């Protein structure tokens, strides 16, 4: 099947499918793998001896449906050329890691995620998007013999994205 073709390096694969609300609309997420995605990734690192390292990364993704129409009860929704829901166009992060003692390091990373269309908004017509957000994470790591001990606090500012809407 499709997995064998991908494993053999046969890409791109064109897949035609009919999605019907209430019948097989639960299969949309699995079919998103076959949407057209293209983009750019940039990454950089700077190391200062063994005590300090800085990193930065940026990703631009243009993920769109190649073609298709989702039939609805009242009207059909054209999804051809529309952005794939839950895929941000922009994502970036900045990180720093400091070895302040032998075998002990503290690391911090800030991650920005750009706005994205809501789940089930394949037609990009809801008029509401998941807003962009930034989270910061902190991690302490210590090596002792063959063991690596670590403690982390994720999402320090406790910022949460909107994942649902009544729109």
């Amino acid at each position: 099947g499709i997995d064998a073709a991908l494993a053999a390096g046969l890409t791109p694969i064109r897949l035609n499918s009919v999605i019907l609300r209430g019948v097989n609309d639960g299969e949309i997420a699995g079919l998103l793998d076959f949407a057209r995605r293209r983009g750019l990734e940039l990454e950089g690192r700077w190391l200062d001896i063994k005590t300090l390292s800085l990193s930065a990364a940026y990703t631009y993704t243009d993920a769109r449906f190649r073609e298709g129409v989702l039939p609805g009860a009242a009207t059909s929704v054209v999804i051809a050329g529309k952005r794939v829901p839950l895929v941000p166009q922009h994502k970036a992060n900045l990180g720093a890691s400091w070895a302040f003692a032998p075998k002990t390091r503290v690391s911090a990373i800030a991650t920005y995620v750009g706005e994205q269309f809501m789940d089930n908004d394949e037609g990009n017509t809801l008029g509401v998007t998941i807003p962009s957000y930034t989270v910061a994470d902190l991690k302490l790591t210590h090596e002792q013999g063959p063991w690596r001990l670590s403690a982390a606090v994720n999402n320090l500012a406790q910022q949460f994205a909107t994942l649902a809407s009544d729109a």
Side-chain angles (χ1 to χ4, degrees), residues 28-96:
I28 291 175
L31 293 172
L32 291 181
D33 290 336
F34 302 103
R36 181 196 54 146
R37 291 177 286 188
R38 55 183 167 190
L40 169 74
E41 291 185 19
L42 301 172
E43 184 175 338
R45 294 185 188 274
W46 177 73
L47 304 171
D48 176 28
I49 311 175
K50 290 188 177 188
T51 59
L52 179 66
S53 65
L54 303 173
S55 63
Y58 171 76
T59 302
Y60 170 78
T61 304
D62 182 21
R64 296 183 182 273
F65 292 105
R66 292 183 199 169
E67 56 188 60
V69 175
L70 290 177
T75 61
S76 296
V77 178
V78 175
I79 63 171
K82 303 295 183 177
R83 287 183 41 205
V84 175
L86 302 178
V87 178
Q89 282 190 307
H90 305 280
K91 189 172 181 182
N93 67 53
L94 294 173

Side-chain angles (χ1 to χ4, degrees), residues 9-29:
L10 301 174
T11 58
I13 294 174
R14 184 179 182 113
L15 177 70
N16 292 319
S17 181
V18 175
I19 305 295
L20 301 173
R21 282 197 175 112
V23 176
N24 64 345
D25 52 352
E27 298 173 13
I28 291 175

Side-chain angles (χ1 to χ4, degrees), residues 104-125:
T104 305
R105 178 173 292 276
V106 64
S107 302
I109 189 165
T111 302
Y112 167 82
V113 178
E115 77 172 352
Q116 51 201 298
F117 284 98
M118 304 285 262
D119 192 12
N120 293 323
D121 187 12
E122 288 81 7
N124 303 162
T125 57

Side-chain angles (χ1 to χ4, degrees), residues 106-163:
V106 64
S107 302
I109 189 165
T111 302
Y112 167 82
V113 178
E115 77 172 352
Q116 51 201 298
F117 284 98
M118 304 285 262
D119 192 12
N120 293 323
D121 187 12
E122 288 81 7
N124 303 162
T125 57
L126 288 180
V128 176
T129 59
I130 299 171
S132 61
Y133 59 92
T134 303
V135 294
D137 303 327
L138 190 62
K139 182 176 182 179
L140 177 66
T141 304
H142 178 75
E143 294 182 16
Q144 184 67 41
W147 299 95
R148 179 179 291 160
L149 308 169
S150 62
V153 178
N154 293 326
N155 198 4
L156 287 168
Q158 296 202 5
Q159 185 168 28
F160 298 97
T162 302
L163 299 178

